[in-house]
Structure formats: C-alpha cells, structure tokens
Amino acid sequence: MATKLLLTFAICRLIVTVGLTLEPTELLRLGLTVDPVDVESASVDFGLMTKVEPLAVLHPSSAEDVAQLVKAAYESSHGFTVSARGHGHSINGQAQTGTGVVVQMSGVGSGGKPRVWGGDMYVDVWGGELWIDVLKSCLEYGLAPKSWTDYLYLSVGGTLSNAGISGQAFHHGPQISNVHELGVVTGKGELMTCSKEQNPELFHAVLGGLGQFGIITRARISLEPAPQRVRWIRVLYSNFSAFTKDQEYLISLHGNQKFDYVEGFVIVDEGLINNWRSSFFSPRNPVKISSLGSNNNGGVLYCLEITKNYHESTAETIDQEIEALLKKLNFIPTSVFTTDLPYVDFLDRVHKAELKLRSKGMWEVPHPWLNLFVPKSKIADFDRGVFKGILGNKTSGPILIYPMNKNKWDDKSSVVTPDEDVFYLVAFLRSALDNGEETQSLAYLTNQNRQILKFCDEDGIKVKQYLPHYKTQSEWKEHYGSKWDRFQRMKMKFDPRHILASGQNIFTPTFLSSSKMASW
Ligand code: FAD
C-alpha cells in the first residue's frame, strides 16, 4: 500500500514536471513506473559507455498503451521524449533518454505470443519480441524466418530499426527486406498499419529508421520451411585477395548449388583463433596461426565461415554438394574444420558464448564496437591500412568480415549503404577490459576506432557506419547523403515534435530548443 502511494506521488510529480494530460491512475494502468530498479536498467545498455536516467519507464501490454503514452507526450504542454527500448543491446545510448519515458518493449506480458500463419508463410509478432522466441514459435509449425542476426536475444523492433544482418543476407537480404507489414505508433500517437501498399512512406521510413518515425508494435515476417540440420565449415586463408575473391564468388551463386550462409572473420592475434566466436575449433586441437603461413602475411589470417542447411531426408547428398562447392575455393588445403548440428543450435550459437563470458564476468564490460559497410572496390586498401596496419597484432574481440549484394536491399528504406553492387560488413566487436593491458583498455580501443575512421576518410574509402553513432547533425547529414532530405521530411511528417528515439542524437526535441524548457 505504502509503495503504491509513493509511486502515485512520484507519478503526480512527473505529471506536473512534463505537463501530462493523463490521470495518475490511467498512467499506472498503462504500465508507467518510476521504480528505481526499472529506471536503473533503462539507463544503461550493452555498450556500457553511457548512462542516462529516464524520468519513468513504461511496460506496455498492448500497442494501444504505447499509442496513449506517445499521444500524451505529443500533446503535453511542456513536452517530453519517448524512447522505445528493445533489449537494450545498443552501444551508445541509442535507446536511452534523460528527458522523458523509456518504453520497455521486451518483457513478460507485453504484446502477446507470435501468431504463425502457416498457409501464408508469415508470422505476426509483437515489436518487443526477441528473435529467439520468434524462432521457437515458428518451429512449432516447422517454419522459420529467413534472415537472421548472429545473436537472437535482440528485439524485432530493435533490429528492424537498423537492418538486421548475418550470413544469410547475401541471399535473402537483411531482415528489413523480409517484412510484409508493420504496426507502428507514430510520434503523434497514431497507431497505423503500413506496408509497401498501405502507407508506404511510413513503412519504408521505419525500416532501418533508427526509431525516428514511430515505434514498431507489430511486424509481419516472412517464413520458409525450417531446415533440420546444418553443416558448418570453416576454412582459412593467408592471402586476402584469395579470401575476398572466394567470398564474392560464393555470394554470386543462386539456386540450390550454393551455401546458405557466408561470413568470415579476421585473425590478427594468435589467442583469438580459439576465442569466443571460434570456440568451434577443438580445444584439444588448437590451431596455430604460425603453422598456417600467416608469417608471410603480416601475421594475419582470414577465416571463411560457411554453412549448408539440410533435411535428414537429403542427408546422403549433402557431402557431395559441399565437396563440389569447396572444390572451387582457394583456401589453405589443410585448414578445413567441419561440424554438424541442429539448425536451432547453429542459429543460437552466440548465446552459448554469452553464457561462457558471463560466467567469467566478461560480458558486462564496455563494448566500444564499430561496424562499417566498406565498398568492395576498397576492401583491399582497408585490409592494408587497418587489418595489417592500425590493429597491430593484439585485439580483444572478434572482427567479422563478409560481403553482401546491394540488390537485396530496398533503396526506399532508411538505411544507407555504399554505392556499389557489393559491399562488406566489417565489424570490430571488441570488449574493453580493465586488466592493466593497455591494448585492451577502453581508451585504447576507442582511439583505434577513431584512427580507423580517419584512415578511411584520408584514403577516400567511402564507408558507411552500420548501427551508426554521431554527435552532430552535420555528421548525420553526411551519413545520409542524398537520403537526408527525405529523412528530414519524414521526421516532420511522422514525429514533428522530435520526441522519439532522441538517444540517437539526430534531431533535438522541439521543446528543448524552445524557451519553455527553462522549467526542465
Ligand atoms: P535497442 O538497443 O533496445 O534499441 C535500438 C534502437 O532501436 C533505439 O534507437 C531504440 O529506440 C529503437 N527501437 C527499439 N525498439 C524499437 C521499436 N519497437 N520500434 C522502433 N524503434 C525501436 N545486429 C545485426 O544486424 N546483426 C548481428 O549479427 C548482430 N549481433 C549482435 C550481437 C550482440 C551480442 C549485440 C549486443 C548486438 C548485435 N547486433 C547485431 C546489433 C543489434 O541489431 C542492435 O543492438 C539493435 O539495436 C537491436 O538491439 P535491441 O533490440 O536491444 O534494441
């Protein structure tokens, strides 16, 4: 009782502060809370580099709850911000806000269970649903989404606000290319349905829109029959151009005679070959970089990672199919590592690594991650300057590299990618550790990220950041390039008070730039 009274008092204070038009009882019914535990958890993210406390947190149980809160923010006399938070796996505070409410989209009791439409091959899911739960629901029908991220404890709304990429993207496109329809609450508090046919401007703006135009409350995701098993293969290269030539060849294949997943990573550090992403290599049979010819190559090796999905009924032909594909590649002949596992275990592979890191206290540490899309024509320059230059031979986390086909990305979406038919994702997924080793410190890794961006700029490598992070609007303008005018127009149309996802730092909420804000 006393807690409820305190909560009501805190909410009354909040109402006065932000000029809310809703009654305290109505706010409590919507799921608004100022409980310190909720506030604390919404004030940090996976990056652990920014801490910003919201005024309150909303736990919605329906799209209507979200719409009511956003409408109240839009109509409030003082104004306040609303930031959707999926699973808080951003790096730089993108889902945080210090001037309003965080809507905690993932969590028990929100939105309802995924609804699978087997005949139409799609699933309707709540925007805060985690991909692991989407997968589990679909598998009950023998179905699965087509395009993935490497890690499944991310929310549907969070990845669709960025793109959602993994080794299937070369063939199926990113996750945003595999969505039929969305339910969205705009910055005016309107709940709208959108698709390529219905409200197409909103649909395209929201996909890859960094949460700027609306909160995704529902997504209709395309499905395929779920494979049963996966043959997972890793091969090594000491020659970068042979590595990229093979990756580019593999993503140019169509039909059945191709791999289903194409990724890769860079090994600059002997310790890393057996690290959390590569736990695949048997600990009883550790791989020695030096034994594989990396000495002639500045100490750098490249690992191509490929999979072929199959059904138990076609198991007899899988070996021949893989053999035929591998024959066309130029990897180090003695470096083939193969494993075979259920489809779910393959998709959920990073979670196993997470559990291991958590047990060693190495998961909840700062993550100064940098993700870049690099044009194919400049990837060799990038290798020379970054993998064989700036990185040195020490790094504290995986460095992914894999190419994608631009024709699988819808240019109408809000995401920006390099202006070439093929571009690479290069992801520096490093953890900062406070263990006295300078090369693993946050300051060192952050500085190295800066050096990488500077090198690209000076060398004319026109990279685009994925999961972008900028501090000024002029940097954002440059990031969006020719898409900026449309981005800005869509913002005016769907979130005219700039109240949504202010943690991205793209637009200043209008109430903050007006004199009214003196009272904040
Ligand atoms: P949050 O971090 O909570 O939110 C991200 C942004 O989206 C914020 O601006 C937020 O306001 C907005 N947002 C959240 N929910 C909604 C919604 N429902 N509607 C509108 N806007 C919303 N990405 C890949 O593409 N491929 C990968 O393989 C991949 N692997 C990863 C592995 C790990 C271990 C981690 C930590 C991240 C990985 N990511 C990957 C990045 C991931 O896609 C982003 O962190 C993304 O933001 C999803 O995280 P989230 O659901 O926690 O969203």
Side-chain angles (χ1 to χ4, degrees):
M1 187 64 187
T3 323
K4 195 157 184 204
L5 267 177
L6 273 177
L7 192 60
T8 311
F9 174 71
I11 286 179
C12 288
R13 218 177 49 186
L14 180 76
I15 289 175
V16 176
T17 316
V18 301
L20 265 171
T21 48
L22 293 170
E23 296 290 323
T25 46
E26 186 56 15
L27 287 170
L28 284 172
R29 193 203 58 75
L30 285 184
L32 196 83
T33 174
V34 286
D35 185 319
V37 176
D38 289 299
V39 170
E40 170 70 19
S41 116
S43 69
V44 289
D45 60 19
F46 180 77
L48 275 189
M49 294 185 295
T50 29
K51 182 159 187 180
V52 180
E53 282 199 0
L55 301 177
V57 176
L58 183 84
H59 293 282
S61 49
S62 68
E64 286 72 25
D65 291 351
V66 178
Q68 217 176 324
L69 179 86
V70 178
K71 194 159 196 297
Y74 179 61
E75 289 174 353
S76 82
S77 52
H78 304 333
F80 65 95
T81 46
V82 179
S83 284
R85 182 177 194 269
H87 211 210
H89 277 52
S90 289
I91 297 299
N92 296 288
Q94 284 91 338
Q96 296 168 5
T97 182
T99 53
V101 177
V102 164
V103 181
Q104 183 53 63
M105 295 295 288
S106 298
V108 187
S110 44
K113 223 178 148 319
R115 194 147 175 218
V116 178
W117 304 87
D120 294 314
M121 301 292 274
Y122 57 68
V123 58
D124 278 319
V125 302
W126 168 246
E129 199 70 64
L130 299 186
W131 282 98
I132 181 73
D133 297 322
V134 178
L135 175 64
K136 285 178 185 163
S137 296
C138 294
L139 285 176
E140 288 173 21
Y141 296 79
L143 300 172
K146 302 170 183 170
S147 184
W148 291 99
T149 47
D150 292 348
Y151 176 63
L152 307 186
Y153 290 72
L154 303 169
S155 76
V156 169
T159 69
L160 295 183
S161 297
N162 285 293
I165 50 174
S166 183
Q168 303 86 4
F170 80 90
H171 175 56
H172 290 295
Q175 291 180 324
I176 53 169
S177 296
N178 291 276
V179 177
H180 296 301
E181 188 181 282
L182 296 171
V184 172
V185 172
T186 68
K188 296 177 184 170
E190 305 153 317
L191 176 55
M192 293 172 74
T193 299
C194 59
S195 65
K196 281 184 184 162
E197 290 78 34
Q198 192 179 356
N199 299 311
E201 270 192 331
L202 179 63
F203 182 69
H204 291 121
V206 165
L207 292 173
L210 305 179
Q212 295 305 301
F213 311 103
I215 297 181
I216 300 169
T217 51
R218 181 180 58 86
R220 178 166 286 181
I221 296 157
S222 180
L223 302 176
E224 64 179 1
Q228 282 179 330
R229 295 198 66 84
V230 173
R231 188 66 58 82
W232 183 9
I233 301 152
R234 284 175 170 174
V235 293
L236 297 170
Y237 294 74
S238 55
N239 180 312
F240 186 70
S241 108
F243 170 71
T244 50
K245 192 165 163 249
D246 281 358
Q247 278 197 324
E248 287 165 24
Y249 163 71
L250 290 173
I251 70 156
S252 73
L253 299 176
H254 307 285
N256 286 337
Q257 301 309 309
K258 64 167 184 358
F259 284 110
D260 293 297
Y261 162 102
V262 178
E263 282 206 10
F265 55 91
V266 182
I267 303 158
V268 296
D269 178 339
E270 178 109 3
L272 261 183
I273 196 157
N274 300 304
N275 82 350
W276 64 274
R277 290 285 303 214
S278 12
S279 50
F280 180 94
F281 299 110
S282 158
R284 271 174 281 128
N285 179 24
V287 181
K288 281 266 165 225
I289 293 194
S290 47
S291 68
L292 292 165
S294 66
N295 286 349
N296 316 327
N297 192 42
V300 182
L301 279 180
Y302 309 94
C303 179
L304 171 68
E305 183 176 58
I306 41 199
T307 71
K308 187 95 183 140
N309 301 335
Y310 67 99
H311 203 267
E312 268 150 21
S313 60
T314 59
E316 330 73 77
T317 56
I318 190 82
D319 289 333
Q320 290 128 286
E321 286 173 38
I322 290 174
E323 188 100 331
L325 283 163
L326 289 181
K327 256 194 198 138
K328 307 249 171 71
L329 308 180
N330 285 304
F331 49 85
I332 301 169
T334 53
S335 72
V336 185
F337 303 86
T338 304
T339 191
D340 195 288
L341 70 176
Y343 187 56
V344 186
D345 291 4
F346 172 72
L347 289 182
D348 201 24
R349 62 203 177 280
V350 175
H351 183 54
K352 292 211 176 71
E354 172 187 356
L355 296 178
K356 261 193 222 159
L357 287 181
R358 274 190 190 281
S359 70
K360 294 184 194 160
M362 287 169 70
W363 184 257
E364 283 170 19
V365 297
H367 295 102
W369 286 10
L370 178 67
N371 286 270
L372 300 173
F373 289 141
V374 182
K376 167 185 150 177
S377 65
K378 293 286 185 180
I379 197 69
D381 294 349
F382 193 92
D383 172 57
R384 177 183 44 77
V386 180
F387 302 146
K388 298 200 182 96
I390 293 170
L391 286 187
N393 66 351
K394 275 264 167 273
T395 179
S396 57
I399 300 165
L400 309 188
I401 172 169
Y402 57 89
M404 284 170 281
N405 294 307
K406 182 151 172 131
N407 64 7
K408 301 285 178 180
W409 294 63
D410 186 344
D411 198 42
K412 293 200 206 84
S413 83
S414 290
V415 190
V416 278
T417 57
D419 214 2
E420 289 188 12
D421 291 348
V422 170
F423 57 88
Y424 281 79
L425 170 79
V426 181
F428 300 88
L429 308 180
R430 302 182 299 170
S431 305
L433 300 177
D434 196 8
N435 58 5
E437 232 189 90
E438 196 211 345
T439 55
Q440 306 210 333
S441 69
L442 182 58
Y444 184 90
L445 294 171
T446 311
N447 186 43
Q448 216 172 48
N449 286 346
R450 253 184 250 120
Q451 282 178 44
I452 293 169
L453 291 171
K454 185 161 174 267
F455 165 75
C456 291
D457 192 35
E458 289 174 357
D459 227 56
I461 305 178
K462 292 196 167 36
V463 294
K464 289 290 175 195
Q465 282 191 36
Y466 177 55
L467 313 171
H469 169 57
Y470 296 106
K471 293 201 170 119
T472 65
Q473 200 176 70
S474 62
E475 288 171 316
W476 279 111
K477 250 179 170 169
E478 197 177 324
H479 172 76
Y480 280 106
S482 61
K483 281 192 172 180
W484 173 251
D485 286 346
R486 188 177 75 196
F487 199 83
Q488 216 178 8
R489 230 177 330 108
M490 292 301 105
K491 187 72 175 174
M492 277 315 293
K493 186 163 178 179
F494 296 114
D495 180 22
R497 288 192 82 183
H498 301 177
I499 55 180
L500 297 177
S502 54
Q504 296 277 5
N505 267 319
I506 308 177
F507 299 97
T508 307
T510 53
F511 62 83
L512 281 180
S513 42
S514 77
S515 56
K516 274 189 202 156
M517 276 323 295
S519 62
W520 271 91

